[in-house]
Amino acid sequence: TNKEEAANVPVNGLALVGVHRAENRDMYVSIVQTCLHMINSNENKALQTCILVANELEQIIDASVLGVNMIGTSLPAILSQSARAISLPAEYEVLSLAKMGESVFLNLKHDEFIHDSSPLMDGCSCFTCKRHTRSYINHLIKSKELLAEILLFTHNLHQLLE
């Protein structure tokens, strides 16, 4: 069906599948904006929208800013399995994420955390940050303890939900 026909089909919501494969961030944002505009252009109420896969932090944040209601991702688990913690600044601009690159992630495998008694992220209210230090998580990772992944997952999920 073409764009005009699709705009006239009554729907309760929209699930976007495959948008995570967009060639670049601008294309991703354009696709999501176009789809949201199409389904909400003939209605008085905003419809529920869902993106089933978002593999990048930027995709999750962009979708949220654009008004997507549900975002499916395995990013917290993927980051946890690679010993990384999300460490977004308290006040960040969405557009500046691209400039931050990997600096928004802490790689707890590194030896720089052996004696670091600070939480994963200052000011974070998650279970992990309230009760455990970077050095402890570093120790768990080096000891190959499953608890490291669990604590990192808890923190990463908390960061995405905040």
Side-chain angles (χ1 to χ4, degrees):
T1 63
N2 64 32
K3 206 158 108 172
E4 291 78 25
E5 290 173 349
N8 292 322
V9 174
V11 294
N12 295 322
L14 174 70
L16 297 173
V17 181
V19 70
H20 67 286
R21 295 177 189 242
E23 289 180 25
N24 56 51
R25 187 175 184 188
D26 289 337
M27 182 181 284
Y28 174 86
V29 169
S30 175
I31 292 168
V32 174
Q33 282 178 325
T34 300
C35 292
L36 292 176
H37 176 72
M38 282 175 54
I39 67 163
N40 292 319
S41 62
N42 294 332
E43 299 286 331
N44 292 330
K45 63 177 183 156
L47 298 174
Q48 297 296 306
T49 53
C50 172
I51 291 181
L52 296 183
V53 178
N55 291 332
E56 305 290 332
L57 184 58
E58 292 88 354
Q59 291 176 342
I60 295 168
I61 292 172
D62 287 340
S64 178
V65 168
L66 291 170
V68 173
N69 304 101
M70 288 191 306
I71 303 161
T73 186
S74 58
L75 189 61
I78 291 167
L79 292 172
S80 303
Q81 290 166 356
S82 62
R84 293 185 295 165
I86 297 172
S87 182
L88 286 172
E91 296 296 322
Y92 65 90
E93 295 214 15
V94 175
L95 295 176
S96 68
L97 273 178
K99 294 177 187 168
M100 288 186 221
E102 285 296 309
S103 68
V104 298
F105 304 110
L106 293 175
N107 189 335
L108 278 293
K109 286 182 186 175
H110 294 160
D111 289 341
E112 68 188 88
F113 299 110
I114 289 175
H115 300 293
D116 190 338
S117 62
S118 58
L120 291 177
M121 207 174 125
D122 287 329
C124 179
S125 61
C126 77
F127 174 86
T128 302
C129 289
K130 283 183 175 180
R131 293 171 179 81
H132 303 288
T133 65
R134 292 176 179 187
S135 61
Y136 177 63
I137 296 170
N138 175 272
H139 162 74
L140 293 173
I141 291 165
K142 291 183 184 267
S143 302
K144 300 188 184 323
E145 289 287 342
L146 179 61
L147 182 57
E149 280 186 39
I150 294 168
L151 293 174
L152 287 170
F153 178 83
T154 302
H155 169 79
N156 289 336
L157 184 61
H158 178 84
Q159 286 301 300
L160 291 180
L161 294 175
E162 282 295 304

